[in-house]
Amino acid sequence: MVEEESVRVVRCGGSELNFRRAVFSADSKYIFCVSGDFVKVHSTATEECVHILQGHRNLVTGIQLNPNNHLQLYSCSFDGTVKLWDYVDGILIKTFVVGLKLHALFTLPSAEDSVFVIINKEKPDVFQLVSVKLPKSSSQEIEAKELSFVLDYINQSPKCIAFGNEGEYVAAVRDFYLSVYFFKKKTTSRFTLSSSRNKKHAKNNFTCVACHPKEDCIATGHKDGKIRLWRNFDDDKKYTYTCLHWHHDMVMDLAFSVTGTSLLSGGRESVLVEWRDATEKNKEFLPRLGATIEHISVSPAGDLFCTSHSDNKIIVIHRNLEASAVIQGLVKDSNIFTGLMVDPRTKALVLNGKPGHLQFYSLQHDKQLYNLDIIQQEYINDYGLIQIELTKAAFGCYGNWLATVEQRQEKETELELQMKLWMYNKKTQGFVLNTKVNMPHEDHITALCFCNAEKFENPTLVTSSKDGHFKVWILTDDSDIYKKAVGWTCDFVGSYHKYQATNCCFSEDGSLLAVSFEEIVTIWDSETWELKCTFCQRAGKIRHLCFGRLTCSKYLLGATENGILCCWNLLSCALFVFKPSEPRPLYIQKNISREEVQWGVFVPRDVPESFTSEAYQWLNRSQFYFLTKSQSLLTFSTKSPEEKLTPTSKQLLAEESLPTTPFYFILGKHREQQDEKINEAFESELVQLPLTENIPAISELLHTPAHVLPSASFLCSKFVSSLLLSKETKSGEEIPEDVDMEEGKESDDSDEENDFTEKIQDTNNTDLGEDLLHQLSKSEEKELRKFRKVDYSWITVL
Amino acid sequence: MAGYKPVAIQTYPVLGEKITQDTLYWNNYKTPVQIKEFGAVSKVDFSPQPPYNYAVTASSRIHIYGRYSQEPIKTFSRFKDTAYCATFRQDGRLLVAGSEDGGVQLFDITGRAPLRHFEGHTKAVHTVDFTADKYHVVSGADDYTVKLWDIPNSKEILTFKEHSDYVRCGCASKLNPDLFVTGSYDHTLKMFDARTNKSVISVEHGQPVESVLLFPSGGLLVSAGGRYVKIWDVLKGGQLLVSLKNHHKTVTCLYLSSSGQRLLSGSLDRKVKIYSTTSYKVVHSFDYAASILSLALAHEDETIVVGMTNGILSVKHRKSEAKKDSLPRRRRPAYRTFIKGKNYMKQRDDILINRPSKKHLELYDRDLKNFRVSKALDRVLEPSCTIKTPEITVSIIKELNRRGVLANALAGRDEKEISRVLNFLIRNLSQPRFAPVLINAAEIIIDIYLPVIGQSPVVDKKFLLLQGLVEKEIDYQRELLETLGMMDMLFATMTRKESTSVWQHASDGFLENKKVES
């Protein structure tokens, strides 16, 4: 199945869901959100991603429902096209090529054949709102160059444009003024607030605008937290405004409910405020939404709201202000201090999540599993506040222990450090805080490392710090006659000539500990904590340190600050120095992404692939994921993105079409499992499955009342034969193989166990040469067996 | 969404002893009553029957005290030489004692003259005991022999000459009338059976045995000698179960608490240690003024009597269960309000939905939840909080600092309020665990109230006090640093192979504060 294909970069998560306002479908069943180059369609009830609409070649900047057909969706992108989608089936209907960078998209029911877009034509900072006439044509790709100018010098954000009262006027805000363009009169009125020169109104800037759906009323949000409601703005002189003030920081977005009776606002406080009847007294709150509210949108049916948050999540909220669903992407924290890790238990990617949390992100399903609250303190989202940062984390002992370090530094000398050790609780399937260590070191902790060797029955943790010490922590029995408890205590403190300890690493068997002190690497015996030897080099300070695995366990690798890789042979104490580009790297891919790559991690595969070409062998057992500066998660893959996504979306389609009966719950589950097993090659069989249920004999059996049926023994043979009829030819050939399959399965299992250990080791060793070739034939063999197994798994279901 | 997370109160290791059930139980005694005896108190024994009198053997006298009397209610003084080991019979009517001259005397506790006089030992008899059938007496003497006497005939029944040194302690089984154990200075413990004429079990303790004890079940044997207390399993033929080494000097006496759950040992190091008999860990210990020779507990652990080498008898009585006079309680709703719906049985198709339990928030948390920062600070500056739980106050100050509102919370206070804050600072600033947080708060206070200084003599005085405190602390730190320097020099002269470094204790937090003050 796997042909030799070129390896390419595949985006697999982490793109922003909160870039633009989310849009509800007309029946509030689906919610659409932009996500990088794609548009994602989620179900509002289950939070599940139903479709990914892909086709744009650059960032999608706006989505709107087609006002003339509620089952269609317009989207615009930086690539200069407006696309029309059928979101129910996830099909691209039409592409309109505008040819300019489109920054936002608006539709109006009154303007049937045109949409409004924001473009910048001449200067980079001058944006215009133009209406684009979408020509009617049957072809797939249509040029739409007929632009008519509406408003000039506007803000590029779609939050600063609003169409009001069924498209009679459009309001736009920028800096200190509000401009309103009336379509009928074709005039623009402009209202200016007292500007920044006046100190009292220093933060009077407009930030967002919303228009009342029924009345002539415009709501504007301001930087100082005020909301102004404008009326009578069709007259330049007689206009009035009233002020609503609750937010203490910038108002990020405003939205009117469908009927216009209430106004929703949100900001940095992460509180959704509902103003009833546009009065200051009558307001409701939904507090602690977790992060800054970036956008608010309202479903056309009026029963749901949704808020997009800066931590890359969308919360679907009921009319009565109760959160009903959370669509969470990869949380974007400002800084990924912890780097990328893999949870040995769930194989999930682990990194900084919400403030003070660690997020577990499943790569297989491209969704967040859960957030682990590490800091456990009320999060105050306020500008300029120094927060406690989760700086380091490490998993140990096959996922049984998790060590985290948090710090807060207000001034140079005032450092608050805390180390926490979490134990995995099998009963609750989560991590439970075991030990809290205040100020484990006197300065920043630079590295954490667990000893993962099997022979160590006692878990061991090493921390290295800038204060020049490294400490060894061990798990000790803390129980007395009153209770049973275990806790971590410091066992040993080591240092080397008052140099800063920068890195630490245990060897594979746990017998040696390497600690780097700036430019020097020291090797310690982990039994006695004696200094065994030191390695010095001139290449610069050590940035990373790592022992080899498996056959290479005698080597110690160190990466220095000026881009040199050092390798020590621990048996002969010899040093090899090489630059990463010099001795023929295994694989180089250039131009992988637009931004700088910040972190990378190898993730072991569940099912090893079998690339035969030498260049891709490193992809066999593990996959390399990396995170760019804008925090989108990318990986290398040979499969095309469509292929990757098919199983889940197909399955969902099937689910949609089936009625929800108790049988469905039983059968549907079954089919789900089956789906995963079946490859694309056997899709035809899958489609046939429902047909078997329509065999007349079965329906007869099921629909006739029991008391009029003949005896079961009489029916049985008839019933069975009716089942056999359609499949006769196939089952005949395949039954002899049955025994074989059983055996295959067994050996498969044992193989996988072996592979598992090797897979992990592989993550660091890409040059295992011969070893791999030998196993390759094995895995190929297994692949073949799997085909056979798949072949008739559907029979067993019947 | 997620609810309000209460402020994490920093927990600090509790200084001193850990409070456990045992410390509560064993500390629940009144201050000891001290009774002066004529010589070292070598044995204390409680009568097993009410009113639980106890016999104290000291010098050549045996005193019998009532439970609460400080004067002896009876005295046996007809000994020519030192008396040893006055022991009650199980019914509390008879008392037996050995003496330095080798005689064993049996007394009726109502009479004065001895009922029986067992002659046979040639040297001092240090241990005597009644057997379980009440009609025999076991005695061990310095002539290395152990003898069994018949009370009705006042005759010697058996003599065991298996020990090779002084026999100094012994104990008869409470279940089997024929079994008894003796310990000797030849480092052995021997269990004798009166039905045979030799020892059935012999174990090596390793030190001269000072005291032995059989568990009521007879299954375990405890011996004390040297610094060790050893537990032996009799049913396994005298296998060593545990060896405890918790005393600094020779352990002289052993006793079991009335429940059998705790074992007490007294030692010449002036301590009584209490062990759990399930884990054999020390759960509590008492200190006494002199080396301890004897120890006994009354029925139900009501009284602890300890005899010491300086002739002082220390008697501790358990505090009587304080009858808490129940306050007139607030009238509660009727019982049926609580029981309403509680006994409802779930039907087959019902889905039980519990009412979400309401999270209880502390008052300061409620204030913080609503961003009333000054109010929250006021709450934790109440004297009840600052004295009992200063860590809560410090945690709230830290939390306010984290939220960036500490200055707001501290500002705008009048004389009374600011002096309350200053009082707290003066009390706690020099504590190393609170210092980093409180120094920061002190800096902020000085910044805020510097312009108005001199307007209130009360506050000025407090500031001066604080300054003096800080100066004193700086001096301490300087001295400590000097000492550390000296120690470093000493360590540096020592040639050491491994390059493990010395811990540094210098906290320079206080040095910064100097800048602020000056």
Side-chain angles (χ1 to χ4, degrees):
Chain A
M1 179 189 76
V2 181
E3 294 297 318
E4 279 311 306
E5 287 178 62
S6 63
V7 171
R8 67 164 161 280
V9 179
V10 175
R11 186 184 282 263
C12 60
S15 40
E16 285 185 4
L17 297 174
N18 59 345
F19 181 57
R20 289 290 187 250
R21 273 183 196 147
V23 173
F24 282 99
S25 67
D27 53 1
S28 308
K29 252 191 180 168
Y30 301 105
I31 185 166
F32 312 102
C33 52
V34 300
S35 164
D37 300 357
F38 312 132
V39 177
K40 281 190 173 173
V41 185
H42 286 269
S43 157
T44 52
T46 63
E47 312 171 5
E48 205 71 42
C49 180
V50 184
H51 289 297
I52 294 176
L53 309 178
Q54 38 198 336
H56 282 293
R57 272 193 215 96
N58 207 335
L59 217 57
V60 180
T61 51
I63 42 172
Q64 289 291 335
L65 281 183
N66 186 354
N68 306 316
N69 184 349
H70 288 310
L71 299 177
Q72 290 179 349
L73 183 80
Y74 280 116
S75 70
C76 76
S77 155
F78 276 151
D79 64 2
T81 58
V82 174
K83 288 186 194 259
L84 185 64
W85 308 86
D86 177 353
Y87 64 77
V88 180
D89 299 325
I91 303 166
L92 175 64
I93 301 171
K94 267 177 192 170
T95 305
F96 303 96
V97 180
V98 181
L100 290 162
K101 232 179 175 186
L102 308 176
H103 289 268
L105 175 81
F106 304 94
T107 55
L108 269 187
S110 51
E112 277 180 16
D113 53 349
S114 58
V115 294
F116 297 88
V117 292
I118 295 177
I119 54 168
N120 64 332
K121 254 190 171 165
E122 299 104 26
K123 289 175 218 161
D125 204 27
V126 177
F127 294 90
Q128 293 175 329
L129 179 71
V130 295
S131 124
V132 181
K133 194 157 169 29
L134 302 176
K136 284 201 173 120
S137 160
S138 56
S139 66
Q140 273 277 329
E141 206 166 303
I142 311 157
E143 296 269 320
K145 299 281 181 193
E146 200 178 316
L147 309 179
S148 54
F149 166 82
V150 181
L151 266 174
D152 199 0
Y153 198 64
I154 55 167
N155 201 321
Q156 71 176 101
S157 163
K159 282 195 278 192
C160 297
I161 301 275
F163 290 81
N165 206 353
E166 279 142 15
E168 275 186 14
Y169 57 88
V170 56
V173 294
R174 180 174 170 140
D175 300 338
F176 292 101
Y177 57 82
L178 160 75
S179 31
V180 184
Y181 176 81
F182 297 92
F183 285 104
K184 274 186 191 152
K185 290 191 273 179
K186 298 209 190 283
T187 54
T188 310
S189 335
R190 196 165 263 207
F191 310 97
T192 315
L193 286 178
S194 49
S195 69
S196 59
R197 268 166 243 153
N198 189 340
K199 205 181 172 197
K200 193 184 156 200
H201 303 294
K203 292 161 108 190
N204 243 343
N205 315 34
F206 285 93
T207 53
C208 53
V209 66
C211 290
H212 197 288
K214 300 275 160 64
E215 297 164 26
D216 280 346
C217 174
I218 298 173
T220 57
H222 297 262
K223 214 172 176 181
D224 55 357
K226 280 184 185 145
I227 299 165
R228 286 186 171 82
L229 290 169
W230 302 74
R231 289 196 173 83
N232 295 336
F233 43 80
D234 46 353
D235 194 323
D236 272 350
K237 299 272 157 51
K238 280 200 284 185
Y239 75 91
T240 57
Y241 65 77
T242 51
C243 236
L244 302 175
H245 198 173
W246 180 85
H247 295 278
H248 79 269
D249 212 328
M250 188 162 130
V251 179
M252 293 295 283
D253 201 8
L254 288 169
F256 274 102
S257 66
V258 176
T259 52
T261 50
S262 62
L263 172 67
L264 299 161
S265 68
R268 187 189 274 282
E269 302 88 355
S270 346
V271 180
L272 182 70
V273 187
E274 184 184 10
W275 308 81
R276 300 243 164 101
D277 311 320
T279 50
E280 190 143 335
K281 281 205 181 116
N282 211 346
K283 52 183 184 286
E284 298 277 326
F285 303 102
L286 180 60
R288 277 183 274 282
L289 290 173
T292 306
I293 296 175
E294 299 261 0
H295 299 100
I296 303 171
S297 49
V298 178
S299 75
D303 56 341
L304 295 175
F305 307 134
C306 86
T307 51
S308 314
H309 295 263
S310 58
D311 63 352
N312 207 10
K313 92 184 149 194
I314 295 173
I315 300 182
V316 180
I317 298 163
H318 263 291
R319 186 72 195 80
N320 57 359
L321 291 189
E322 264 177 26
S324 70
V326 180
I327 297 161
Q328 175 82 64
L330 189 70
V331 177
K332 312 225 156 188
D333 199 356
S334 51
N335 285 305
I336 303 289
F337 293 111
T338 59
L340 303 183
M341 290 173 295
V342 179
D343 176 17
R345 213 172 266 279
T346 56
K347 302 280 175 298
L349 194 69
V350 181
L351 64 160
N352 279 115
K354 289 198 285 186
H357 288 65
L358 213 54
Q359 64 174 324
F360 289 66
Y361 192 83
S362 165
L363 294 165
Q364 281 80 25
H365 305 103
D366 192 19
K367 75 179 199 190
Q368 198 185 50
L369 295 179
Y370 62 97
N371 260 306
L372 180 66
D373 189 356
I374 299 291
I375 290 177
Q376 295 180 327
Q377 277 186 18
E378 183 76 359
Y379 178 66
I380 306 290
N381 194 357
D382 211 345
Y383 180 74
L385 213 57
I386 298 153
Q387 307 283 3
I388 303 177
E389 309 263 17
L390 175 63
T391 51
K392 289 273 180 289
F395 284 97
C397 314
Y398 315 103
N400 278 333
W401 287 96
L402 166 68
T404 57
V405 175
E406 59 205 55
Q407 69 175 43
R408 179 174 182 274
Q409 188 161 33
E410 196 154 343
K411 291 172 209 157
E412 193 65 31
T413 50
E414 288 173 22
L415 177 73
E416 291 167 31
L417 261 186
Q418 205 165 52
M419 183 164 79
K420 285 178 179 166
L421 287 136
W422 307 75
M423 189 167 69
Y424 188 80
N425 188 335
K426 280 205 180 99
K427 217 181 232 172
T428 56
Q429 295 284 306
F431 283 97
V432 181
L433 184 61
N434 179 273
T435 307
K436 204 154 72 169
V437 185
N438 264 327
M439 293 304 286
H441 283 275
E442 268 149 49
D443 208 341
H444 298 272
I445 288 182
T446 51
L448 290 180
C449 169
F450 272 101
C451 175
N452 277 335
E454 272 168 39
K455 69 165 188 176
F456 275 73
E457 69 285 347
N458 202 3
T460 311
L461 171 74
V462 173
T463 56
S464 65
S465 158
K466 278 189 184 169
D467 64 1
H469 296 290
F470 73 90
K471 290 190 183 178
V472 180
W473 308 81
I474 52 163
L475 186 68
T476 50
D477 190 26
D478 198 21
S479 51
D480 48 26
I481 60 165
Y482 308 104
K483 60 172 198 311
K484 276 214 152 145
V486 285
W488 290 77
T489 46
C490 187
D491 186 41
F492 176 73
V493 183
S495 65
Y496 189 78
H497 293 293
K498 297 202 170 162
Y499 287 121
Q500 292 185 350
T502 50
N503 269 298
C504 55
C505 179
F506 269 105
S507 68
E508 194 196 9
D509 58 352
S511 61
L512 290 178
L513 169 71
V515 183
S516 67
F517 290 90
E518 295 177 21
E519 295 173 3
I520 297 152
V521 180
T522 54
I523 308 288
W524 304 72
D525 184 350
S526 67
E527 299 266 327
T528 56
W529 303 118
E530 264 175 28
L531 183 61
K532 284 278 167 196
C533 60
T534 54
F535 295 127
C536 300
Q537 42 89 26
R538 299 245 190 96
K541 285 185 185 175
I542 304 271
R543 239 176 161 184
H544 291 291
L545 205 60
C546 188
F547 273 98
R549 306 270 169 91
L550 265 190
T551 52
C552 300
S553 56
K554 60 185 173 184
Y555 296 109
L556 173 68
L557 278 168
T560 63
E561 264 179 355
N562 36 19
I564 289 174
L565 215 55
C566 305
C567 178
W568 288 276
N569 186 336
L570 293 174
L571 298 178
S572 61
C573 291
L575 168 67
F576 315 97
V577 179
F578 47 88
K579 286 195 170 163
S581 55
E582 264 172 17
R584 197 175 63 81
L586 214 58
Y587 177 77
I588 298 177
Q589 170 121 8
K590 283 177 181 161
N591 301 329
I592 46 174
S593 92
R594 287 180 285 239
E595 303 109 331
E596 206 179 309
V597 175
Q598 277 198 320
W599 296 97
V601 69
F602 278 101
V603 179
R605 284 183 199 270
D606 285 339
V607 182
E609 305 262 336
S610 48
F611 296 107
T612 37
S613 118
E614 202 180 327
Y616 304 139
Q617 268 178 16
W618 60 283
L619 275 171
N620 271 356
R621 284 167 206 286
S622 57
Q623 222 172 345
F624 185 66
Y625 284 88
F626 53 96
L627 197 71
T628 61
K629 211 159 191 178
S630 70
Q631 299 188 355
S632 45
L633 195 64
L634 307 172
T635 187
F636 291 112
S637 171
T638 52
K639 286 185 192 167
S640 63
E642 291 83 10
E643 223 172 292
K644 215 180 148 202
L645 291 164
T646 34
T648 50
S649 48
K650 281 257 161 61
Q651 172 201 331
L652 275 160
L653 258 185
E655 270 179 37
E656 293 287 313
S657 59
L658 282 170
T660 47
T661 60
F663 284 114
Y664 160 75
F665 283 116
I666 302 161
L667 289 174
K669 281 272 164 60
H670 222 115
R671 196 160 306 133
E672 226 169 83
Q673 293 167 352
Q674 195 184 347
D675 254 14
E676 282 163 19
K677 285 188 213 156
I678 291 183
N679 271 314
E680 285 88 331
F682 299 95
E683 264 170 10
S684 50
E685 267 86 353
L686 173 67
V687 179
Q688 277 174 18
L689 267 176
L691 287 177
T692 58
E693 281 154 25
N694 297 336
I695 292 169
I698 299 172
S699 58
E700 191 185 307
L701 189 75
L702 291 176
H703 294 296
T704 347
H707 64 275
V708 297
L709 275 177
S711 70
S713 55
F714 176 75
L715 276 175
C716 184
S717 59
K718 193 181 155 197
F719 177 69
V720 171
S721 65
S722 75
L723 279 178
L724 288 176
L725 260 175
S726 60
K727 309 288 170 186
E728 227 172 20
T729 48
K730 266 198 178 166
S731 47
E733 339 173 313
E734 275 160 11
I735 284 164
E737 283 179 355
D738 209 336
V739 185
D740 217 351
M741 184 198 81
E742 288 292 312
E743 283 171 12
K745 228 181 210 167
E746 271 172 29
S747 59
D748 234 357
D749 286 351
S750 55
D751 263 5
E752 238 148 18
E753 271 170 28
N754 293 340
D755 282 347
F756 175 67
T757 45
E758 278 156 11
K759 252 185 277 167
I760 299 169
Q761 286 140 5
D762 235 1
T763 53
N764 274 313
N765 259 328
T766 48
D767 47 355
L768 274 172
E770 309 159 36
D771 216 14
L772 269 184
L773 275 175
H774 170 68
Q775 271 152 18
L776 210 65
S777 55
K778 219 190 214 173
S779 58
E780 272 176 338
E781 205 177 314
K782 206 162 60 186
E783 200 69 30
L784 285 172
R785 276 188 191 145
K786 198 157 286 153
F787 270 104
R788 221 152 46 187
K789 185 166 66 180
V790 163
D791 204 349
Y792 57 147
S793 53
W794 56 270
I795 284 182
T796 54
V797 173
L798 285 177
Chain B
M1 306 277 32
Y4 174 81
K5 290 174 199 158
V7 178
I9 302 299
Q10 188 73 56
T11 50
Y12 295 97
V14 182
L15 298 178
E17 223 173 343
K18 232 196 237 169
I19 294 173
T20 60
Q21 278 168 306
D22 275 288
T23 53
L24 291 176
Y25 183 82
W26 295 108
N27 280 334
N28 193 22
Y29 285 90
K30 293 179 196 162
T31 40
V33 176
Q34 307 238 333
I35 301 169
K36 179 73 184 154
E37 291 287 339
F38 295 102
V41 180
S42 63
K43 173 80 180 178
V44 180
D45 190 42
F46 269 92
S47 160
Q49 297 301 324
Y52 308 115
N53 295 333
Y54 56 94
V56 176
T57 316
S59 185
S60 63
R61 286 159 203 248
I62 297 167
H63 290 302
I64 297 188
Y65 291 88
R67 262 177 82 193
Y68 297 103
S69 69
Q70 302 212 16
E71 293 295 320
I73 53 174
K74 197 162 180 65
T75 305
F76 299 101
S77 53
R78 302 208 171 169
F79 289 97
K80 293 187 195 86
D81 213 333
T82 318
Y84 294 109
C85 198
T87 311
F88 280 103
R89 202 165 78 165
Q90 286 87 326
D91 56 5
R93 292 227 193 114
L94 293 184
L95 185 79
V96 70
S99 76
E100 184 69 39
D101 58 5
V104 176
Q105 298 183 32
L106 187 73
F107 299 92
D108 184 352
I109 55 160
T110 52
R112 191 162 287 274
L115 290 178
R116 294 282 187 275
H117 205 96
F118 305 110
E119 296 285 350
H121 284 295
T122 51
K123 282 186 180 161
V125 179
H126 276 269
T127 173
V128 286
D129 201 1
F130 289 97
T131 58
D133 61 3
K134 301 186 199 166
Y135 304 123
H136 297 93
V137 169
V138 181
S139 67
D142 284 358
D143 57 4
Y144 311 167
T145 59
V146 176
K147 288 180 192 286
L148 186 69
W149 309 89
D150 187 32
I151 297 173
N153 301 333
S154 78
K155 282 225 180 102
E156 182 188 320
I157 299 173
L158 276 170
T159 305
F160 300 97
K161 290 180 182 165
E162 293 191 24
H163 284 295
S164 53
D165 207 336
Y166 301 154
V167 180
R168 281 290 165 90
C169 53
C171 170
S173 163
K174 291 203 172 68
L175 295 175
N176 190 329
D178 296 318
L179 280 183
F180 52 92
V181 186
T182 53
S184 150
Y185 275 17
D186 64 358
H187 303 191
T188 59
L189 288 160
K190 288 186 192 287
M191 181 178 264
F192 296 101
D193 190 339
R195 291 164 292 195
T196 64
N197 48 10
K198 57 178 197 288
S199 66
V200 283
I201 293 172
S202 176
V203 291
E204 187 71 26
H205 180 82
Q207 277 82 25
V209 184
E210 298 283 353
S211 179
V212 297
L213 188 74
L214 262 173
F215 268 60
S217 65
L220 292 179
L221 176 66
V222 188
S223 64
R227 293 166 58 194
Y228 293 89
V229 174
K230 292 187 178 180
I231 324 280
W232 311 87
D233 193 339
V234 178
L235 301 179
K236 279 188 185 169
Q239 194 185 7
L240 180 65
L241 205 65
V242 210
S243 173
L244 305 168
K245 188 185 171 192
N246 293 94
H247 285 285
H248 301 301
K249 288 186 182 167
T250 304
V251 183
T252 53
C253 48
L254 293 169
Y255 212 88
L256 262 185
S257 77
S258 58
S259 62
Q261 299 286 310
R262 299 286 181 265
L263 174 71
L264 288 84
S265 67
S267 151
L268 296 179
D269 66 0
R270 298 183 287 184
K271 278 189 188 345
V272 171
K273 304 245 177 197
I274 302 167
Y275 310 86
S276 154
T277 52
T278 46
S279 66
Y280 297 105
K281 295 226 169 79
V282 175
V283 293
H284 194 69
S285 79
F286 293 117
D287 284 340
Y288 282 92
S291 300
I292 294 160
L293 287 180
S294 55
L295 162 75
L297 290 183
H299 177 74
E300 296 289 330
D301 303 346
E302 287 296 318
T303 317
I304 302 175
V305 183
V306 167
M308 288 172 273
T309 47
N310 59 357
I312 301 259
L313 189 69
S314 159
V315 184
K316 277 204 272 191
H317 294 289
R318 176 173 290 282
K319 282 178 191 160
S320 55
E321 286 299 313
K323 287 180 202 96
K324 278 176 191 147
D325 40 331
S326 52
L327 292 163
R329 279 203 296 183
R330 205 157 46 99
R331 202 176 143 66
R332 292 255 174 89
Y335 175 68
R336 61 173 181 277
T337 15
F338 292 113
I339 207 72
K340 196 154 83 185
K342 284 273 166 66
N343 48 8
Y344 176 75
M345 289 301 287
K346 206 177 98 169
Q347 301 295 309
R348 205 165 54 88
D349 295 332
D350 287 355
I351 296 166
L352 192 70
I353 297 169
N354 288 321
R355 180 179 292 178
S357 60
K358 206 173 173 188
K359 214 167 37 176
H360 172 73
L361 285 183
E362 297 290 337
L363 288 173
Y364 53 80
D365 264 330
R366 268 184 235 175
D367 288 331
L368 281 178
K369 189 182 171 188
N370 292 318
F371 294 88
R372 293 190 296 257
V373 287
S374 289
K375 193 95 177 286
L377 188 61
D378 283 345
R379 264 197 217 284
V380 293
L381 284 173
E382 296 281 338
S384 59
C385 183
T386 51
I387 292 165
K388 256 192 185 167
T389 52
E391 66 270 13
I392 290 182
T393 315
V394 172
S395 293
I396 295 296
I397 291 175
K398 196 173 168 187
E399 171 72 12
L400 292 175
N401 187 39
R402 187 179 73 88
R403 293 182 172 209
V405 290
L406 185 56
N408 300 3
L410 286 170
R413 286 171 181 268
D414 61 17
E415 185 187 277
K416 202 173 144 200
E417 285 170 335
I418 192 68
S419 57
R420 191 181 270 180
V421 181
L422 288 172
N423 277 340
F424 180 73
L425 289 181
I426 290 164
R427 186 191 268 269
N428 291 300
L429 189 68
S430 56
Q431 292 201 31
R433 49 193 187 173
F434 299 147
V437 178
L438 293 186
I439 286 169
N440 184 31
E443 281 174 23
I444 291 174
I445 289 176
I446 291 164
D447 283 347
I448 294 172
Y449 294 99
L450 200 61
V452 294
I453 222 153
Q455 288 182 9
S456 153
V458 182
V459 174
D460 289 352
K461 213 169 129 194
K462 295 258 153 65
F463 270 118
L464 286 176
L465 212 62
L466 192 65
Q467 191 186 5
L469 190 79
V470 171
E471 275 166 8
K472 213 157 80 186
E473 196 61 40
I474 291 169
D475 285 343
Y476 283 145
Q477 292 292 325
R478 190 173 297 129
E479 275 173 39
L480 279 175
L481 280 173
E482 278 170 17
T483 320
L484 201 69
M486 285 188 259
M487 280 165 68
D488 271 348
M489 204 130 79
L490 285 175
F491 282 130
T493 53
M494 285 160 62
T495 48
R496 286 195 304 168
K497 199 181 159 194
E498 64 273 351
S499 62
T500 49
S501 76
V502 189
W503 273 85
Q504 273 199 325
H505 291 288
S507 74
D508 41 9
F510 291 102
L511 295 175
E512 294 161 28
N513 208 37
K514 191 185 172 193
K515 285 181 239 157
V516 180
E517 289 290 313
S518 54

